[in-house]
Amino acid sequence: MMSVYRGALAELGAVFDRLDERRVDDAVAVIAAARRIALYGVGREGLQIKGLAMRLFHLGLQVSVVGDMTTPPLGKDDLLIVSAGPGYLSTVQSLIDTASAAGARTLCVTAQPEGQCPASADHVLTIPAQTMADDSGPDLSILPMGSLFEGAQFVLFEIMVLKLRDRLGIEAEDMRRNHTNLE
């Protein structure tokens, strides 16, 4: 019998088997081209988004998390990255609308590409994984609620950072120099 650990890893592997690599590369290109980047997510998706923000900072990009006092206004040549796993979250929709009205580009990470938030975004990166929007019925993940989506976000975001590092010609040691010394 497969252990619960192997089962969870197999489910994550199946997510990445269905992931559209072209969309990942498109998202990486959009991030690389941005002047300033602000990121936003709620709940556990927000934790993953904050992890991505940290790694983008380590790459030396101008990045902030929406809600922090130091988040600058977004406009032309800037990018808002949001997470809306279930396809719609009212705060995410409001931020997409505000950033778009200011001339910024928007990238929505979601499991429900037909949702209102991704439909409003300029770019969509779909992670084909269970969220709380579809955590009932047959064929459920062994992980609770939206954990499969959130776990896939972590792995995907780290791979995207590697792709960005290569694309931007940043060395691992450059990233280490950007790591805080206040721990």
Side-chain angles (χ1 to χ4, degrees):
M1 182 172 168
M2 184 181 298
S3 77
V4 68
Y5 301 104
R6 290 192 188 282
L9 289 173
E11 288 181 353
L12 280 168
V15 168
F16 289 104
D17 287 342
R18 296 187 312 270
L19 188 70
D20 185 341
E21 192 70 23
R22 290 170 300 170
R23 291 286 196 154
V24 175
D25 291 338
D26 290 346
V28 167
V30 168
I31 294 168
R35 178 179 61 139
R36 291 187 297 209
I37 304 164
L39 297 96
Y40 181 78
V42 299
R44 289 167 49 102
E45 291 179 38
L47 295 174
Q48 300 308 323
I49 282 289
K50 287 179 181 179
L52 175 59
M54 183 181 200
R55 287 288 186 242
L56 295 178
F57 177 82
H58 291 153
L59 288 171
L61 303 180
Q62 285 191 339
V63 63
S64 59
V65 174
V66 173
D68 288 349
M69 294 187 313
T70 56
T71 303
L74 294 186
K76 185 180 181 308
D77 299 324
D78 296 334
L79 176 65
L80 173 67
I81 302 173
V82 295
S83 180
Y88 177 77
L89 298 162
S90 60
T91 52
V92 171
Q93 186 62 54
S94 179
L95 291 170
I96 290 172
D97 294 344
T98 301
S100 295
R105 306 293 291 167
T106 55
L107 167 62
C108 182
V109 180
T110 187
Q112 305 287 334
E114 68 286 347
Q116 184 178 343
C117 290
S120 300
D122 297 305
H123 305 277
V124 177
L125 179 53
T126 303
I127 300 175
Q130 176 183 303
T131 68
M132 282 186 60
D134 54 5
D135 70 342
S136 60
D139 301 321
L140 290 180
S141 171
I142 61 173
L143 298 173
M145 302 157 72
S147 294
L148 184 59
F149 179 77
E150 297 144 6
Q153 279 186 307
F154 172 77
V155 174
L156 176 60
F157 291 164
E158 293 298 298
I159 298 302
M160 290 173 66
V161 166
L162 293 176
K163 288 176 175 260
L164 277 162
R165 188 180 71 183
D166 291 345
R167 182 183 189 106
L168 299 172
I170 296 168
E171 300 293 328
E173 193 52 42
D174 296 329
M175 291 180 69
R176 289 179 87 39
R177 277 193 291 276
N178 286 331
H179 192 279
T180 186
N181 62 354
L182 300 176
E183 291 182 328

